[in-house]
Amino acid sequence: MKILLCPLSDGGYLYPAIAAGRELRRRGHDVSVLGRSTAAPVAADAGLPFAAAEEYGGHRAFSATWWGPNGAAQYRATVRAARETGADLLVTSVLCNGALLAAETLDIPVVVIGLAAHLWDYRSGGDDEPHLGRTRRSRTDGCLGLYSDLREEAGLAGRASRWGAEPLLGDALLLRGDPELEYPGAELPERIRHVGPLSWEPAPDPAEAGAIGDHLSRNGKPVVYVHLGRFFEGKTLWPRLNEAFTGGPFQAVVEQGRSTDPEPAPGADILLVRKRWMGPLVDRAGLVLSSGTSAPVLAALLRGRPLALSPNGSEQPLLTGACLRAGVAVHFPKGPAGDASALLESAWRDEGLRARARVLGSRLAAMDSAARAADAVERVAGVTAPPAGAAAVPPARAAATAATAATAASAA
């Protein structure tokens, strides 16, 4: 089976798709990646063939920052690349409306890789869930509105979506979290499956990792790893970071990848980095401070690290609420609500917090998430695992191949 991975090219979306893609390739499937040209080194590190979306008219088509305005470019690029590669199935990420519509145009299945917590409406229950920002209904309506607008632009508005009232789920939506991270008593839509963290990242450069380790050792203070998501026009966390890491007991490693305009104060124990990987840095830390995006939350839990969370938009409030309910995180307010350094020290010393993080992380690690994701993809495609060294063929293509062989045999 030929599979095209076409998630957003930002690491939090691309890396989980690659984790699934590598397992699918191990099972004998032909897997390739479509994304922004900047993602080419990541695909190469994963050993997967890569096509740049820009070569198919997809400038900014797979950027998390531009996911809404550039849906049409994503749609066109995905259709062209899928036709060129002969894709039988697409694997994309949430917010990729263009990829969903490309699958519909091409009449092939599409599997969507989600976040650590469900982003949209539950099928039932959850009515008393605290919003911590936008309501689920508001978020769902907003995403459906963008999907419908793009559907009309792509010329598909005249026919009903094959996914009915829940088109954003594709043929299957794979959540990377644990059922405990959903609201108690809420019921997920039928096409959703928990598969676990889908943890993968490019291998760190030993020299770079060593240089960071040497810097942290010279400072000597315990390490907090800070990984901020987008602000979504919310308040910047930098004043609180400077307060927490100036003259206090901790030092911070702050990932700049999604944190624009870093503002470390002179004298603050803050090391700015921009890396495609975070695992070794989380390993070095005893606490992870984040906005509540899926990648750093899952990386922390898999290593048994407790969390301090300060959410803005998107899934950040939902995942923050889930982690607070699970008792693996504390809320880190942006405003001057208590001493920031003391709050981090209290979380650091909370053995119950740390123990619960280890338990949840162990459960996530035990899920064999790449295998679960690959199983889900194969079920959607209607194929079973192929013999060693052979590629699986979807039923429709297998039937066509059999018919061709039968015709050839008859002619002979």
Side-chain angles (χ1 to χ4, degrees), residues 220-240:
K221 293 182 178 180
V223 178
V224 175
Y225 178 66
V226 181
H227 191 114
L228 305 179
R230 292 176 60 198
F231 291 139
F232 296 99
E233 300 181 358
K235 292 182 179 179
T236 175
L237 198 60
W238 274 102
R240 292 288 275 172

Side-chain angles (χ1 to χ4, degrees), residues 3-26 31-35 39 42-43 46 48-49 62 89-94 96 111-115 174 176 195-201 295 298 369-371 373-374 377:
I3 299 169
L4 180 64
L5 307 181
C6 48
L8 297 174
S9 292
D10 302 70
Y13 301 91
L14 175 62
Y15 296 177
I18 285 179
R22 284 163 56 90
E23 172 62 16
L24 286 161
R25 184 188 61 176
R26 189 193 68 78
V31 180
S32 58
V33 182
L34 172 68
V42 175
L48 296 176
F62 292 93
L89 180 144
L90 304 181
V91 175
T92 189
S93 58
V94 291
C96 283
V111 173
V112 180
I113 296 179
L115 306 167
L174 312 182
R176 289 152 47 207
V195 298
L198 287 175
S199 179
W200 179 89
E201 64 181 15
L298 291 171
S369 56
V377 169

Side-chain angles (χ1 to χ4, degrees), residues 212-259:
I212 293 172
D214 290 344
H215 175 95
L216 299 177
S217 296
R218 286 194 299 271
N219 181 288
K221 293 182 178 180
V223 178
V224 175
Y225 178 66
V226 181
H227 191 114
L228 305 179
R230 292 176 60 198
F231 291 139
F232 296 99
E233 300 181 358
K235 292 182 179 179
T236 175
L237 198 60
W238 274 102
R240 292 288 275 172
L241 294 181
N242 288 326
E243 176 192 343
F245 299 109
T246 302
F250 301 109
Q251 61 176 319
V253 179
V254 180
E255 171 56 51
Q256 298 183 73
R258 298 291 297 279
S259 176

Side-chain angles (χ1 to χ4, degrees), residues 304 306 327-328 350-362:
V328 299
D350 189 333
E351 287 303 322
L353 193 73
R354 196 172 296 276
R356 289 187 293 272
R358 286 195 294 266
V359 169
L360 180 53
S362 296

